[in-house]
Amino acid sequence: MTIPFNRLQMLGDEAKYIEQALANSHLMGDGGFTRKCHALLEELLGVRRALLTTSCTHALEMAGLLLDLQPGDEVIVPSFTFVSTANAFALRGARPVFADVRPDTLNLDERKLEALITERTRLIVPVHYAGVGCEMDAIMDIATRRGVAVVEDNAHGLFGHYRGRALGTFGTFSTLSFHETKNVSCGEGGALLINDAHHAERAEIIREKGTNRSRFFRGMVDKYTWVDIGSSYVMSDLLAAFLYGQLREHERIQARRRALWDTYHQELSAWATAQGVAQPHVPAHCEQAYHMYYLLMPSLEARTRFIQQLRQQGINAVFHYLPLHSSEMGRKFGGEVGACPVTEDVSDRLVRLPFYSTMTEAEQSTVLSAVRDFRC
Ligand SMILES: *Cc1c(COP(=O)(O)O)cnc(C)c1O
C-alpha cells in the first residue's frame, strides 16, 4: 500500500456544480458560483466582504496594494512560513523583516515583535501555523499601539478560532488558500477577506484590473473604465463551482480531519514520549483548524532516517518550510543565519505525516504502526 502525503478529496457535489456552471455558458469570474462562495464565506466567518482570488498569494498581493505599501516600508513576517507571506509585499518594494516563532505553537513569537518595529514598519503578517491561532490579543495590542496594520495569512486556519473568534477576522485583511493541499480546495485558488468595510470598493477595483467593472455589473455606473492600478485576480466561475461543492461540506471535512488528528495524537503519545519526539501543542484557548499533523523529531539526523524508513514502506512523510531569513532571497533583505534560532531548529526537525480527509482507517493504522516501529 502506498500512502501519499496528500490526496485530492471529492465530497460528491463538485461535478454537479461544474455541470451547472457549464450550462450557464459563462465561465468567467463573479458568476453565480462565485457569488454563492462569497455569501457563504461572509456568513460562516462573519467578515464584511469575501472576494475569491486566483490564489492566496494573489490575495496577499492585493493586501499590499490596498495598504499602499511603498519601497522602504517594512513588513514583519514569521521566518517559518511559505515564501508568499513575504514575497507578496517584497513585490511592492517593501522589506520583509523576519520574526522568530514560538517553540510551542511555531507561530510568530509576539514577545519578540515589539523589538522589530521601527518607524518604517507598516504591517505585521501573522500566519496561523497548522491552523492554530497566533496570540492575537498581544499582536493586535502591539499593532494598535504602534499604528501598524495587520494582515492574517490564514492559509492554514480556515474555520479555526482564537478565544472564540474566527481566525481571519482580526486583521484589516486576511487571506485564504484553496490550493489542493489545503482543507478546502479547488486545485488553485484563494480569497481576500475584508474586515474593514471602507477597503471593499477599492479591493473590487484592484481585483478587476484597476477598473470599476464590479460596480458596472451591479448597475451602479453605466460604463466601466480605468480608475486605479490593479491586476487580474478574479477566479473563474468553473473553479468557484468546484469550491462551492467543498465549502458547503465544510463541517464534514473538518469533522473527518479532527478525528484523524485526534487519533494520531492519542495513538502516538506513548511512543513520542519514549522517543523524545514532541507532538503539536494546541493552547486551550485555540480551537484549531486541523490543517496538518506534524512531529518534532529529536534531531535532523533522526528526521532524515524517519522519512527514509517510512518511504521504504510506501508512506510519504515530508518536512516543511526552510527558514526564509537565511534563504538566498532572505539574506538580500538583511536576514542572517542564527537570527531566528527557533525557526532554524524546528525547520530541521519537523516532519508532517500523511493527512487528508479521505484517509481511511486502514491507511492511518498503517502509518501509525510504521511510526511506532521507528526508534530515534
Ligand atoms: C499555501 C500557502 C500560501 C499560498 O497559497 P496559494 O493559494 O498557493 O498562493 C501562502 N501562505 C501559506 C502560509 C500557505 O500555506
Side-chain angles (χ1 to χ4, degrees), residues 53-60 80-86 126-130 153-156 175-182 187-191 291-292 320-321 352:
T53 56
T54 30
S55 66
C56 178
T57 302
H58 281 167
L60 290 164
F80 193 61
T81 183
F82 190 60
V83 287
S84 294
T85 315
V127 176
H128 307 298
Y129 186 73
D153 178 342
N154 197 26
H156 299 182
T175 62
L176 298 176
S177 175
F178 303 119
H179 185 265
E180 189 168 309
T181 51
K182 303 304 193 315
E188 300 277 356
H291 175 55
M292 71 172 82
H320 210 187
Y321 305 128
R352 295 175 290 162

Side-chain angles (χ1 to χ4, degrees), residues 201 204 212 214-223:
E201 187 178 332
E204 287 182 345
N212 55 358
S214 300
R215 284 170 74 77
F216 170 73
F217 278 153
R218 288 202 299 271
M220 292 163 79
V221 285
D222 59 10
K223 47 185 171 307

Side-chain angles (χ1 to χ4, degrees), residues 151-201:
V151 171
E152 299 167 74
D153 178 342
N154 197 26
H156 299 182
L158 177 58
F159 304 124
H161 290 76
Y162 172 81
R163 297 196 192 280
R165 182 165 157 189
L167 299 180
T169 62
F170 293 85
T172 305
F173 304 108
S174 65
T175 62
L176 298 176
S177 175
F178 303 119
H179 185 265
E180 189 168 309
T181 51
K182 303 304 193 315
N183 292 23
V184 172
S185 93
C186 60
E188 300 277 356
L192 180 73
L193 306 180
I194 302 168
N195 292 309
D196 184 342
H198 88 265
H199 286 290
E201 187 178 332

Side-chain angles (χ1 to χ4, degrees), residues 316-332:
N316 242 301
V318 295
F319 54 84
H320 210 187
Y321 305 128
L322 297 176
L324 291 184
H325 69 283
S326 54
S327 66
E328 190 177 330
M329 195 63 183
R331 280 182 281 123
K332 291 188 185 153

